[in-house]
Amino acid sequence: MDVNVERNEAANRFEAIVDDVLCVLEYRLDGKVITLLHTGVPDAVGGRGIAAALTKTALDTARHEGWRVVPACAYSLSYIARHPQYQDLVSDG
C-alpha cells in the first residue's frame, strides 16, 4: 500500500490519513535529536503497513536533516531492529 505521510511540525508528528482515519507518529525534537515517542494507527486501518510508512518517513527525514534518533516507542525500536540501515542514526544518549 502506498501511504502518503506528511510532517506536521506544529503538532510535532508525522501524519497519514487512510480511509479518513488519522494515523500518527509523535515526536519531540531537541536541537539535532529527534525522539520518536508514539506510533498510533487505529485498528480500523491497521495491518496495512501504515506504522512502517510513518516510521520510515521519520527516519528518512532524520537522515536528511542530520538528526540523531532516540526510538522511545516500541514500534520504532522494533522497526530499526528489522531495518539495520537506520541503526547508524540511533543516538547513544
Side-chain angles (χ1 to χ4, degrees):
M1 172 178 200
D2 191 26
V3 179
N4 182 38
V5 177
E6 299 287 333
R7 180 174 171 211
N8 181 338
E9 292 182 56
N12 292 321
R13 65 188 186 196
F14 290 88
E15 303 174 337
I17 298 175
V18 177
D19 296 344
D20 296 321
V21 177
L22 178 64
C23 307
V24 300
L25 187 159
E26 298 169 347
Y27 67 85
R28 179 178 61 244
L29 184 61
D30 294 315
K32 291 266 196 198
V33 177
I34 187 169
T35 302
L36 306 180
L37 299 170
H38 172 73
T39 305
V41 176
D43 290 341
V45 293
R48 300 188 197 180
I50 300 165
L54 289 163
T55 304
K56 180 182 186 313
T57 300
L59 294 170
D60 288 345
T61 299
R63 186 174 307 285
H64 180 264
E65 297 293 334
W67 300 337
R68 303 292 291 159
V69 175
V70 176
C73 87
Y75 186 86
S76 63
L77 191 60
S78 68
Y79 184 92
I80 292 168
R82 292 189 317 272
H83 298 87
Q85 67 269 30
Y86 294 110
Q87 187 64 46
D88 65 303
L89 297 175
V90 177
S91 176
D92 295 332

